[in-house]
């Protein structure tokens, strides 16, 4: 999704801006641009291609103040005229992440005042508003402050003026932004990774903050305009660029990294013979003992992890659990249970809807909050009382893989901690043993890769697919369908297998592949009956079964045997072949696996 980088220095900032943008590429974007002050004029360069193209056209451009942006279209199609930065009357340049909700009325007013719009974006109103105030003699700082008062919506912005090469103004509300502190130079960015080549000393700006940067220093103002101090932190995120190695795509690499990612996630939690609440933070023991229910909030793949966890939490810990899609929960008039633990699940920790859902929960009186996240310094981690960091390492592929399976590990640990506190936990050592065995078990499933690659050949010509699962594995069917649709663009739906005869069975014919997750659990016989219903209608079945599931290959029934059954942890193992299937179908179809069309890695707008 959109990314911002800004810099003010003694040296030429163009390489810093471009490298920063390149480091934000994984988030997904459809155009990129930058602007610097060169000989007292704004020099803007924009491209609808990759950042590499922007690099080509930027050769020879120099400036020691500039702002840059990768855009993921919200208002207006991806095009050069809609790419940021946006400029007002050759004087003010702006980059913006987020959405300005009242841009239409602001635009009408600005048009009446004589401003000419050259894009379809909501952002352009910001440039003209700043200009309108600046032209009246306000300082750049005051002009931006006055502008922000007029905006409704979410934003992180960077602003510079052609006639003032010594000031860069940046502000945030609802979108992430941080300041990078250098020596004789300072920076802003929407994601710390963009700044790591130049500094690891960062200040995370708070909601409503505005910062004025010059080369020697910076001043931060809160939403009321009072100058405030915010702590400078040393980022622990590694500057090592993520290498693809021998893999063809990041997604393939990340699927293969799962044994290590799971082992790393378990490392701090699971080395002893028992499991302690402290793994969720210093206050976890007292906080978790006071709760009487769980509310999980998340989006997309992270939401699917929450759905699996509901089965674990209710069955093993005996606590009531609800799982809600964050974008729905934030606007729903719900009846809160302030004694429930609110768990926000997120790979990025930046997802706008999940952040808003957490704020909404707090506004309803929830005080017990836990973030399970893969990015240590992310907003959700900072906003939650308790935290658990999945140690999957940077996930670059847009389709989430290792973040999902490590979230499941974290949620299983949470289940065990809660069950133990409530004296519900039997067989703790067996559970811990199963967890420790998990990386090896995942590795064995990965060995199925060549078989799954062959299976995928049968899907490339299909337009639709149906995924079925039951119980703990129904969310895995949902996740399998999401993976397939997002990277191969094949329309895929998932159903609890028992629902088939209540409607979707009507879709089944010889052209509809039906993929079923069939572990050897208590619901297997029920599932088999559902699969007979499919076969009887001519549907082609692809069954991911455990080794001891008694099902045989026959005409129209393809069985893929999983090496072992993992009991409660089976959903983690059964996810792997579905990730691989989606990956190899996408390869067959020749799609852009790591950057599927229309999608972004971090969804920082609503
Ligand atoms: C799908 C996928 C998305 C994310 C969703 C939430 O492969 O990656 O559905 O899971 O956008 O993102 P996070 O987990 O960063 O909050």
């Amino acid at each position: 999704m959109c990314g911002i980088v800004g810099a003010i220095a003694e040296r030429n900032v163009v390489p810093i801006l471009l490298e920063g943008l390149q480091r934000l590429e994984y988030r997904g974007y459809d155009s990129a641009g930058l602007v610097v002050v060169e000989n007292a004029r704004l020099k803007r360069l924009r491209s609808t291609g990759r950042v590499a193209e922007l690099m080509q056209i930027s050769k020879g451009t120099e400036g020691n103040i500039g702002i840059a942006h990768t855009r993921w279209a919200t208002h207006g199609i991806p095009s050069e005229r809609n790419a940021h930065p946006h400029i007002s009357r050759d004087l003010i340049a702006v980059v913006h992440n987020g959405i300005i909700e009242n841009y239409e009325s602001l635009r009408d007013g600005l048009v009446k005042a004589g401003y000419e719009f050259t894009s379809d974006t909501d952002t352009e109103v910001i440039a003209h508003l700043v200009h309108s105030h600046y032209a009246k003699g306000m300082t750049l700082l005051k002009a931006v402050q006055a502008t922000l008062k007029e905006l409704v919506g979410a934003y992180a912005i960077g602003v510079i003026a052609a006639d003032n090469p010594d000031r860069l103004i940046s502000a945030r509300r609802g979108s992430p932004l941080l300041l990078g502190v250098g020596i004789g130079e300072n920076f802003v960015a929407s994601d710390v990774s963009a700044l790591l080549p130049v500094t690891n000393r960062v200040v995370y700006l708070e909601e409503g903050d505005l910062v004025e940067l010059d080369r020697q220093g910076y001043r931060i103002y809160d939403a009321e305009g009072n100058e405030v101090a915010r702590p400078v932190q040393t980022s622990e995120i590694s500057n090592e660029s993520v290498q693809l190695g021998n893999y063809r795509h990041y997604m393939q690499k990340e699927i293969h990294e799962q044994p290590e990612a799971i082992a790393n996630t378990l490392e701090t939690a699971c080395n002893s013979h028992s499991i302690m609440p402290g793994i969720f933070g210093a206050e976890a023991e007292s906080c978790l003992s006071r709760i009487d229910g769980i509310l999980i909030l998340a989006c997309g793949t992270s939401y699917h992890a929450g759905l699996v966890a509901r089965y674990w939490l209710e069955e093993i810990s005996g606590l009531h659990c609800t799982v809600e899609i964050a974008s729905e929960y934030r606007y729903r008039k719900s009846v809160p249970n302030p004694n429930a633990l609110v768990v926000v699940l997120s790979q990025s920790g930046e997802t706008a809807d999940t952040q808003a859902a957490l704020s909404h929960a707090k506004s309803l009186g929830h005080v017990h909050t836990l973030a399970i996240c893969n990015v240590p310094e992310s907003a959700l981690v900072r906003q939650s009382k308790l935290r658990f960091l999945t140690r999957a390492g940077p996930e670059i592929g847009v389709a989430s893989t290792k973040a999902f399976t490590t979230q499941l590990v974290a949620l299983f640990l949470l289940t065990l901690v809660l069950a133990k506190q409530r004296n519900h936990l039997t067989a703790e050592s067996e559970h811990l043993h199963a967890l420790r065995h998990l990386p090896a078990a995942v590795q064995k499933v990965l060995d199925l890769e060549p078989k799954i690659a062959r299976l995928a050949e049968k899907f490339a010509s299909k337009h639709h697919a149906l995924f079925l699962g039951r119980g703990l594995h129904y969310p895995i069917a949902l996740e399998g369908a999401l993976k397939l649709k997002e990277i191969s663009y094949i329309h895929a739906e998932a159903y609890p297998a028992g629902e088939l005869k209540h409607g979707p069975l009507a879709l089944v014919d010889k052209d509809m592949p039906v993929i079923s997750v069939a572990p050897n659990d208590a619901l297997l016989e029920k599932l088999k009956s559902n699969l007979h219903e499919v076969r009887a209608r001519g549907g082609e079945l692809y069954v991911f079964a455990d080794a001891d599931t008694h099902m045989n290959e026959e005409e129209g029934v393809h069985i893929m045997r999983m090496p072992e059954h993992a009991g409660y942890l089976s959903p983690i193992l059964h996810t792997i072949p579905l990730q691989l299937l989606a990956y190899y179908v996408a390869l067959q179809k020749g799609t852009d696996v790591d950057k599927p069309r229309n999608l972004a890695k971090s969804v920082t707008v609503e």
Side-chain angles (χ1 to χ4, degrees):
M1 195 140 277
C2 301
I4 289 179
V5 193
I8 177 163
E10 297 292 348
R11 54 179 164 157
N12 178 17
V13 296
V14 172
I16 298 172
L17 299 177
L18 287 168
E19 181 165 8
L21 289 187
Q22 244 178 350
R23 289 168 157 265
L24 298 180
E25 277 194 301
Y26 76 95
R27 298 158 66 95
Y29 66 104
D30 43 52
S31 52
L34 64 82
V35 66
V36 291
V37 178
E38 197 181 61
N39 304 325
R41 294 165 74 101
L42 293 174
K43 178 158 182 199
R44 172 174 66 178
L45 297 156
R46 297 183 290 180
S47 151
T48 49
R50 295 277 164 219
V51 173
E53 268 174 46
L54 188 65
M55 284 176 157
Q56 285 302 321
I57 59 173
S58 305
K59 282 194 178 134
T61 302
E62 287 195 8
N64 49 22
I65 179 169
I67 47 178
H69 192 257
T70 45
R71 172 172 188 255
W72 188 81
T74 55
H75 295 72
I77 56 162
S79 65
E80 194 175 321
R81 66 192 288 273
N82 287 334
H84 300 211
H86 289 286
I87 291 184
S88 181
R89 297 189 178 168
D90 296 329
L91 187 60
I92 299 292
V94 171
V95 290
H96 164 226
N97 290 353
I99 292 177
I100 304 304
E101 291 169 18
N102 59 337
Y103 85 101
E104 280 168 329
S105 60
L106 292 171
R107 188 179 169 124
D108 291 347
L110 286 159
V111 169
K112 278 192 197 120
Y115 283 95
E116 191 193 334
F117 279 77
T118 56
S119 78
D120 309 314
T121 65
D122 51 341
T123 302
E124 201 178 344
V125 298
I126 307 177
H128 295 314
L129 281 175
V130 175
H131 182 280
S132 67
H133 297 299
Y134 194 57
K136 283 183 207 141
M138 284 186 186
T139 62
L140 191 58
L141 171 69
K142 293 278 177 218
V144 174
Q145 280 172 325
T147 300
L148 298 184
K149 289 203 177 81
E150 297 171 75
L151 303 181
V152 176
Y155 56 77
I157 57 166
V159 184
I160 60 171
D163 64 348
N164 191 351
D166 300 322
R167 288 287 183 281
L168 193 162
I169 313 283
S170 212
R172 64 154 293 205
R173 187 164 79 202
S175 291
L177 188 72
L178 57 103
L179 168 70
V181 184
I183 300 167
E185 52 188 19
N186 289 302
F187 313 92
V188 286
S190 51
D191 181 328
V192 66
S193 58
L195 297 184
L196 290 174
V198 282
T199 185
N200 64 353
R201 297 183 64 226
V202 295
V203 177
Y204 289 97
L205 296 176
E206 292 187 11
E207 195 60 4
D209 278 357
L210 175 149
V211 60
E212 182 183 42
L213 292 80
D214 56 36
R215 289 175 185 82
Q216 297 310 325
Y218 59 87
R219 292 150 296 283
I220 302 175
Y221 302 90
D222 66 12
E224 277 72 51
N226 305 312
E227 193 168 342
V228 284
R230 304 277 183 233
V232 180
Q233 300 180 22
T234 304
S235 173
E236 283 166 19
I237 295 174
S238 152
N239 181 30
E240 280 163 35
S241 60
V242 186
Q243 303 292 330
L244 199 48
N246 291 330
Y247 294 99
R248 205 161 152 189
H249 293 99
Y250 283 107
M251 182 179 178
Q252 186 191 24
K253 176 173 184 262
E254 287 157 8
I255 291 173
H256 280 271
E257 281 172 349
Q258 289 177 107
E260 196 189 337
I262 291 171
N264 288 344
T265 301
L266 286 170
E267 198 181 276
T268 47
C270 226
N271 272 345
S272 58
H273 293 293
S274 68
I275 178 160
M276 298 298 185
I279 58 174
F280 293 99
E283 295 174 77
E285 179 147 24
S286 65
C287 174
L288 295 181
S289 64
R290 273 181 273 142
I291 59 152
D292 65 6
I294 317 273
L295 168 62
I296 299 180
L297 302 170
C299 302
T301 288
S302 296
Y303 168 70
H304 296 157
L307 290 178
V308 174
R310 180 172 58 180
Y311 290 89
W312 288 335
L313 284 160
E314 296 212 334
E315 189 169 327
I316 304 174
S317 78
L319 279 163
H320 177 254
C321 175
T322 350
V323 190
E324 295 223 30
I325 292 177
S327 56
E328 286 295 309
Y329 172 78
R330 63 182 286 192
Y331 293 116
R332 199 168 69 78
K333 288 211 166 35
S334 52
V335 181
N337 166 15
N339 297 324
L341 174 71
V342 177
V343 182
V344 281
L345 293 178
S346 176
Q347 186 285 127
S348 61
E350 276 187 12
T351 304
D353 281 320
T354 313
Q355 279 193 61
L358 176 62
S359 305
H360 180 63
K362 286 184 187 171
S363 75
L364 293 178
H366 283 285
V367 287
H368 310 300
T369 55
L370 163 67
I372 295 180
C373 244
N374 194 42
V375 179
E377 293 148 29
S378 60
L380 281 172
V381 171
R382 285 180 279 125
Q383 286 156 15
S384 301
K385 191 194 260 181
L386 308 181
R387 57 199 56 182
F388 184 96
L389 295 174
T390 49
R391 301 231 205 134
E395 195 180 62
I396 306 293
V398 162
S400 186
T401 52
K402 58 180 181 169
F404 176 69
T405 44
T406 52
Q407 278 172 350
L408 288 176
V409 167
L411 287 161
F412 195 71
L413 290 169
L414 178 67
T415 305
L416 298 185
V417 164
L418 291 168
K420 192 170 168 185
Q421 272 190 332
R422 282 154 186 81
N423 295 324
H424 277 270
L425 190 60
T426 52
E428 179 180 3
S429 60
E430 279 86 343
H431 286 308
L432 289 178
H433 176 76
L435 277 169
R436 280 191 215 104
H437 175 61
L438 197 54
V442 169
Q443 188 56 56
K444 280 197 210 154
V445 183
L446 286 168
D447 295 341
L448 294 177
E449 186 170 11
K451 280 191 189 163
I452 295 174
R454 282 196 297 278
L455 190 72
E457 290 167 18
K458 299 182 193 296
F459 282 79
S461 59
K462 304 289 182 196
H463 298 290
H464 308 276
L466 208 54
F467 283 70
L468 300 178
R470 291 197 74 136
L472 256 183
H473 296 81
Y474 162 52
I476 300 308
L478 286 168
E479 176 58 9
L482 179 62
K483 287 287 93 91
L484 187 69
K485 71 183 124 187
E486 67 183 327
I487 61 167
S488 76
Y489 315 148
I490 291 177
H491 169 228
E493 295 294 333
Y495 280 93
E499 273 291 290
L500 205 56
K501 54 188 165 301
H502 299 290
L505 199 54
L507 293 172
V508 172
D509 64 12
K510 63 178 181 24
D511 296 322
M512 174 68 91
V514 178
I515 299 114
S516 175
V517 188
N520 193 2
D521 64 11
L523 290 170
L524 179 62
E525 291 310 316
K526 305 265 178 219
L527 178 72
K528 281 186 187 170
S529 313
N530 304 138
L531 299 186
H532 286 307
E533 292 161 11
V534 171
R535 228 11 241 139
R537 272 88 190 163
E540 189 108 351
L541 277 172
Y542 297 85
V543 185
F544 290 90
D546 284 341
D548 47 1
T549 306
H550 296 290
M551 290 179 83
N552 295 322
E553 287 261 350
E554 55 183 85
E555 176 72 23
V557 183
H558 311 271
I559 310 274
M560 189 64 59
R561 295 218 186 266
M562 301 283 286
E564 57 188 283
H565 180 60
Y568 278 116
L569 299 175
S570 168
I572 299 178
L573 295 194
H574 272 272
T575 300
I576 315 290
L578 301 187
Q579 295 170 342
L580 286 168
L581 180 68
Y583 174 73
Y584 279 99
V585 175
L587 270 195
Q588 291 283 327
K589 298 201 69 179
T591 59
D592 190 350
V593 173
D594 285 330
K595 297 190 186 83
R597 68 183 182 204
N598 307 339
L599 298 181
K601 184 68 186 160
S602 293
V603 187
T604 50
V605 294
E606 200 181 335

